[in-house]
Amino acid sequence: MIDQIKQKIKDVLLQKLGLDDIVVEEPKKGFADLSIPLFAFAKTLKKSPLLIASDFGAIIKKEVPAIIKFEFMNGFLNLFIERKSFSMTVLHEIFEKKGLYGSQTLEKKETVVMDYSSPNIAKSFSVGHLRSTMIGNALKNIYKKCGYNVVAVNHLGDWGTQFGKMIVAYEKWGQKDLVRQNPIAELQKLYLKFHDEEKNDSTLEQQARDVFRALELNDDYYLSLWKWFKEESLREFMDMYDLLNVSFDSYDGESFYNDKMEAVVDELQQKNLLKIDDGATIVDLGDSLPPALIKRTDGATLYITRDLAAILYRYHTYQAHKVLYIVGNEQQLHFKQLKAVTNLMGYDFDIEHINFGLVLIDGKKMSTRSGKFARLEDVINQAIHEAKEAIVEKNPHLKNQDNVAKAVGVGAIIFNDLKNERHLDVDFNLENMLRFEGQTGPYLQYSSVRIESMIKDYDIHINEVDETYFDEDPYFDLVKLVSQFPSIINRAKESNSPNIIARFILSLAQGFNSFYGKQRVIVDDQRHLHTNLLLVSCVQIVINEGLRLLGIESLKEM
């Protein structure tokens, strides 16, 4: 609602005065509810900021009923909202809509394809896969909240030379019984052994290339091994996704496009975009980008060839012009090349690379190849175990301790990731992220539980609310915060940044706890009581919906 008032002020001033642009902001120091910086207009209007403030203020007060007072201070026009009606409108909407508060509808339903998670088969799901998975899941929820049709795609890494390496390693050093007993762990060891042996045997790389080329040509034996590796991997991955409460509309990986790449190559050829360079087939992207390598000298396709096949499939199958690729910072060049090639092909796809930093443990990058990585399942189980110990200590008689511990442990890991700006590296420290105070998931869950303990025994009656309390700063400050939620969701969508929601619900929880420290919620006076209950229940609704958008479970007890 604050955004609507700001837009109304802008529209009125632009219409009445014919100015180019008006900035209406929310002052951080609390001098007013809204303010307009005036220095930029002094030269245009040939008036002092004081006179401009008088003119602007008179127009706003007349045309925007929500504004009841204005003041001039240090070059700014400060505006004050009529608190009681504003508060009741905001809280009534939240209380009625519950979790639908902040939801939007689009006049024309648009489809967005999101490509995220995408682990490689025959490798354990590591902590390093967490970022793409949870950023993608949060963006899926945010875009759906904003009215978009979202197709969530898990573009599994189930093709490429690495599977030639895996097959060579299995044939040379693998033991079928061991692999059957513990498939992913054994295949992981074989993958690491290949890279160790490669240092002393220069022929291994070519052997892997040859095997992958045979795989592309549908060699029955190699295909049977590859399918076995994939089935075992998917079983482990699905356990992880269930634990994280993440789901996808499609698990079509790179191999799905194996029979669709020749059509892409043919289209590139028909549009005269292909060149032969040193035996390899390329698309020349000019001086600004390196050429896109479509086929190696041996005829094997590459990553970008498969991504071209994938984006054309998504365009024709889902009618999606917008595709978000939630992939690490290191892939920026690849997606610039992908966009450049599709442009040359005559398509106008909206391709966005949603980049993110690394997950660091003890300040160091994890590496599957070196063996310095942490299995996500092990880390989550440890988080759940430690969360349960803390919960039992605080509340030994709590029912459903295991379910609560799971929600807290998993939520702590997810929030630690999503509270950070995505392009930055994230330090993975379980002890810090499991704290019940500070900028953590458990702090948010506990704040919601604290509110639940206050409101659970009451029916809240809006007609018994005493709106005069909203003239008081502690009350109105909380109302202004919850009123920002729809615009916060929009900002998170526009910048593809879940951390905007994470930071907002942190500030809201902090605002509630500050309010609770100053004001008793459960009081004898019935009108005062229902005022308090309405306010804190609306705070809880927004915190819980913010957690849901991030992929974190809210709780009734903990």
Side-chain angles (χ1 to χ4, degrees):
M1 190 171 170
I2 285 241
D3 277 352
Q4 294 169 341
I5 295 171
K6 286 161 74 174
Q7 191 58 51
K8 176 71 172 173
I9 291 168
K10 288 181 183 182
D11 292 344
V12 163
L13 291 178
L14 291 172
Q15 181 186 354
K16 297 283 184 182
L17 301 171
L19 298 169
D20 291 335
D21 193 22
I22 303 283
V23 175
V24 184
E25 43 190 41
E26 296 171 54
K28 291 182 180 177
K29 293 188 178 178
F31 294 125
D33 299 319
L34 299 169
S35 68
I36 301 173
L38 301 174
F39 288 112
F41 303 111
K43 188 174 181 181
T44 309
L45 299 176
K46 297 178 181 174
K47 290 182 179 180
S48 71
L50 178 59
L51 290 175
I52 296 170
S54 179
D55 293 343
F56 282 19
I59 292 170
I60 292 167
K61 195 162 182 289
K62 181 181 178 183
E63 301 290 337
V64 186
I67 301 299
I68 58 167
K69 187 174 75 168
F70 64 89
E71 293 176 353
F72 174 75
M73 180 186 290
N74 300 327
F76 287 83
L77 173 62
N78 289 330
L79 304 169
F80 298 85
I81 293 171
E82 200 291 302
R83 293 184 169 191
K84 291 190 287 291
S85 62
F86 177 87
S87 298
M88 290 305 295
T89 300
V90 169
L91 297 181
H92 192 277
E93 181 182 4
I94 298 171
F95 192 69
E96 289 298 314
K97 290 186 175 179
K98 300 292 191 290
L100 293 177
Y101 177 60
S103 297
Q104 301 170 30
T105 54
L106 298 175
E107 287 184 20
K108 183 182 177 183
K109 196 83 167 178
E110 296 179 38
T111 296
V112 180
V113 170
M114 297 189 183
D115 182 328
Y116 60 98
S117 194
S118 308
N120 291 327
I121 67 168
K123 294 182 185 176
S124 292
F125 202 109
S126 80
V127 171
H129 293 109
L130 183 71
R131 300 222 69 193
S132 174
T133 305
M134 300 322 303
I135 292 170
N137 187 62
L139 289 177
K140 177 181 80 169
N141 294 336
I142 291 165
Y143 271 76
K144 283 187 173 181
K145 182 85 171 173
C146 292
Y148 289 82
N149 178 43
V150 179
V151 180
V153 175
N154 194 339
H155 189 71
L156 293 168
D158 63 357
W159 208 242
T161 308
Q162 67 266 37
F163 297 104
K165 295 177 181 180
M166 191 72 72
I167 290 170
V168 169
Y170 174 74
E171 288 193 301
K172 286 183 177 294
W173 309 296
Q175 297 180 46
K176 197 170 187 176
D177 290 342
L178 287 178
V179 174
R180 277 182 171 163
Q181 290 169 23
N182 199 352
I184 301 301
E186 286 302 315
L187 290 172
Q188 192 92 51
K189 288 178 187 175
L190 291 171
Y191 182 76
L192 295 175
K193 185 172 179 62
F194 180 95
H195 286 283
D196 286 339
E197 295 294 329
E198 190 181 23
K199 296 169 188 174
N200 304 314
D201 185 348
S202 59
T203 69
L204 283 176
E205 177 70 25
Q206 189 56 49
Q207 289 179 51
R209 288 177 184 273
D210 292 341
V211 167
F212 176 61
R213 184 62 185 144
L215 196 58
E216 282 196 304
L217 296 172
N218 295 317
D219 178 278
D220 288 340
Y221 173 67
Y222 293 145
L223 273 175
S224 66
L225 280 179
W226 169 81
K227 285 177 182 176
W228 179 39
F229 296 163
K230 182 174 179 177
E231 287 166 4
E232 294 296 343
S233 300
L234 273 174
R235 193 172 294 119
E236 180 175 310
F237 295 162
M238 294 308 295
D239 288 343
M240 283 308 313
Y241 292 133
D242 287 345
L243 196 54
L244 294 167
N245 196 26
V246 170
S247 62
F248 297 89
D249 301 300
S250 167
Y251 290 87
D252 292 334
E254 294 179 59
S255 64
F256 178 75
Y257 301 98
N258 192 37
D259 62 356
K260 299 170 180 61
M261 286 184 284
E262 278 308 313
V264 173
V265 176
D266 289 344
E267 185 175 344
L268 289 167
Q269 185 71 57
Q270 290 165 13
K271 292 177 177 177
N272 298 314
L273 295 174
L274 294 182
K275 292 183 179 180
I276 304 299
D277 182 35
D278 245 1
T281 306
I282 66 165
V283 174
D284 189 344
L285 300 178
D287 297 332
S288 59
L289 289 170
L293 188 56
I294 304 299
K295 281 188 175 183
R296 284 201 304 255
T297 53
D298 63 0
T301 55
L302 288 106
Y303 188 44
I304 197 164
T305 325
R306 294 188 284 278
D307 263 357
L308 286 168
I311 199 169
L312 290 175
Y313 176 84
R314 292 161 184 177
Y315 169 60
H316 292 298
T317 305
Y318 306 122
Q319 289 76 52
H321 284 78
K322 186 180 185 72
V323 183
L324 304 185
Y325 293 91
I326 298 94
V327 182
N329 287 334
E330 65 276 9
Q331 293 293 325
Q332 289 190 44
L333 174 60
H334 170 77
F335 290 107
K336 286 178 182 177
Q337 289 177 311
L338 182 65
K339 175 66 174 170
V341 174
T342 56
N343 285 348
L344 287 172
M345 294 174 78
Y347 297 104
D348 186 27
F349 298 140
D350 184 357
I351 296 173
E352 286 194 59
H353 173 207
I354 312 304
N355 61 312
F356 54 84
L358 301 169
V359 177
L360 305 178
I361 294 182
D362 298 326
K364 296 177 182 176
K365 177 183 175 181
M366 292 173 294
S367 168
T368 305
R369 188 172 297 184
S370 68
K372 294 178 180 176
F373 69 97
R375 289 177 74 244
L376 185 57
E377 184 178 12
D378 295 338
V379 173
I380 289 179
N381 287 335
Q382 184 182 347
I384 293 171
H385 174 74
E386 292 184 18
K388 185 174 180 180
E389 286 186 338
I391 289 163
V392 169
E393 185 179 339
K394 288 176 178 287
N395 190 354
H397 304 297
L398 176 69
K399 298 176 183 177
N400 302 316
Q401 290 177 352
D402 290 336
N403 292 337
V404 172
K406 176 186 169 186
V408 172
V410 173
I413 289 171
I414 294 172
F415 190 78
N416 182 69
D417 189 299
L418 296 182
K419 73 179 180 182
N420 297 284
E421 292 184 31
R422 57 178 165 75
H423 68 277
L424 300 175
D425 295 341
V426 172
D427 187 50
F428 199 90
N429 185 308
L430 264 185
E431 183 180 352
N432 289 339
M433 65 180 77
L434 283 166
R435 294 183 189 278
F436 282 77
E437 64 282 329
Q439 299 181 355
T440 69
Y443 170 76
L444 287 168
Q445 289 168 316
Y446 183 68
S447 296
S448 176
V449 167
R450 175 178 269 182
I451 295 172
E452 182 66 24
S453 70
M454 299 173 193
I455 65 176
K456 66 179 180 179
D457 296 325
Y458 294 92
D459 292 324
I460 302 168
H461 302 293
I462 290 184
N463 60 352
E464 293 188 36
V465 167
D466 184 349
E467 61 187 34
T468 60
Y469 283 101
F470 298 117
D471 277 329
E472 299 178 15
D473 287 345
Y475 285 81
F476 192 61
D477 287 345
L478 267 186
V479 172
K480 282 198 296 183
L481 264 177
V482 293
S483 77
Q484 293 171 11
F485 190 48
S487 64
I488 289 292
I489 295 168
N490 227 32
R491 279 176 52 205
K493 190 267 294 181
E494 289 297 322
S495 61
N496 296 302
S497 301
N499 72 291
I500 290 174
I501 290 175
R503 293 287 174 178
F504 170 75
I505 56 175
L506 267 178
S507 67
L508 181 55
Q510 290 162 351
F512 158 72
N513 285 302
S514 174
F515 174 85
Y516 183 63
K518 300 170 186 172
Q519 171 66 55
R520 282 182 59 221
V521 172
I522 307 304
V523 292
D524 293 332
D525 181 83
Q526 286 300 292
R527 291 180 66 80
H528 191 185
L529 171 66
H530 284 280
T531 305
N532 291 346
L533 293 175
L534 175 64
L535 178 60
V536 300
S537 70
C538 287
V539 169
Q540 185 196 43
I541 288 167
V542 174
I543 289 175
N544 288 353
E545 180 61 4
L547 287 171
R548 185 194 71 80
L549 291 173
L550 298 178
I552 298 171
E553 184 180 350
S554 56
L555 297 164
K556 298 286 188 183
E557 293 181 287
M558 65 188 291

